[in-house]
Amino acid sequence: SSCVRPWAPAEEMVTVLPVPCDLKDAQAQVVAWDERFHIAAEVDAVVNAKAQSSAFGARDATGVEAVKDVMPTERSTFQRLLTEAPSSDSAVEVLDFGCGDGRYLRQFLRSAEALAKSGRALRIVAYEVSAEALRSFHIQAQREGLAVVKSRLQDSAHLPSLEGRNLQLEFVLGRWGW
């Protein structure tokens, strides 16, 4: 069964792919994430770290620390993997599975800038089961200057793709219990 949230008409905004999992705990986690971002959006029209902190303190409703960038060890590992990654059409493609609200966005922007020096771009497919977290990621990417572009995905019912600063983002929402 899917979790119905009147403030999250996911079917109208994102590509829906099934996630082969029917764990009630996992579904409860998704509901908690969606509620977290919904409450933060009520505090501030644009979901941001300050609004989330205001709604949940140092830890969000899911018990996760409110972190908005990668740790130094993650940064160096990610950068090394990207420079070693094979590319197609002069772009490195990455699946950010369980992207949440875009904790890696700043790292993606730094990496895209570094890849530009070698004539390559960075393409990210952001996959998440929380519609509200995915929307928050989308909003924050737009605030970083990425603009809406025509999607490479076939389904017309998804968040618009974003592009800019040598970075392309596609957004995909997963579903539970199919």
Side-chain angles (χ1 to χ4, degrees):
S1 68
S2 63
C3 303
V4 178
R5 295 162 309 282
W7 64 85
E11 295 80 12
E12 298 172 15
M13 303 220 32
V14 295
T15 299
V16 177
L17 296 178
V19 175
C21 180
D22 59 359
L23 301 172
K24 297 220 182 283
D25 289 342
Q27 287 181 315
Q29 181 75 9
V30 172
V31 170
W33 269 87
D34 279 352
E35 288 174 359
R36 165 193 170 193
F37 290 103
H38 181 67
I39 290 169
E42 288 177 346
V43 173
D44 186 335
V46 176
V47 179
N48 60 40
K50 184 176 177 183
Q52 290 176 30
S53 179
S54 174
F56 296 103
R59 293 191 177 269
D60 63 26
T62 63
V64 176
E65 289 182 44
V67 178
K68 289 294 162 197
D69 202 353
V70 296
M71 295 182 294
T73 54
E74 292 174 305
R75 179 179 298 161
S76 63
T77 300
F78 191 81
Q79 201 62 34
R80 181 182 53 79
L81 290 172
L82 276 183
T83 56
E84 296 171 359
S87 61
S88 62
D89 301 312
S90 299
V92 175
E93 296 182 331
V94 175
L95 170 63
D96 186 0
F97 188 84
C99 65
D101 65 339
R103 176 175 164 234
Y104 283 89
L105 176 60
R106 290 181 181 144
Q107 180 60 48
F108 294 154
L109 291 166
R110 286 189 294 268
S111 297
E113 183 179 327
L115 286 169
K117 294 174 184 172
S118 64
R120 301 190 315 171
L122 180 59
R123 289 186 190 139
I124 304 293
V125 174
Y127 182 93
E128 177 57 56
V129 294
S130 167
E132 296 298 324
L134 204 58
R135 278 198 201 117
S136 179
F137 187 174
H138 193 269
I139 290 167
Q140 293 193 49
Q142 287 182 298
R143 293 178 80 193
E144 290 290 338
L146 278 67
V148 173
V149 295
K150 183 174 174 21
S151 176
R152 297 181 317 142
L153 298 176
Q154 298 300 314
D155 191 334
S156 62
H158 67 278
L159 284 168
S161 298
L162 298 175
E163 188 174 290
R165 299 173 60 180
N166 203 43
L167 175 63
Q168 299 170 350
L169 285 171
E170 299 278 352
F171 297 87
V172 179
L173 178 70
R175 278 291 178 102
W176 296 100
W178 289 356

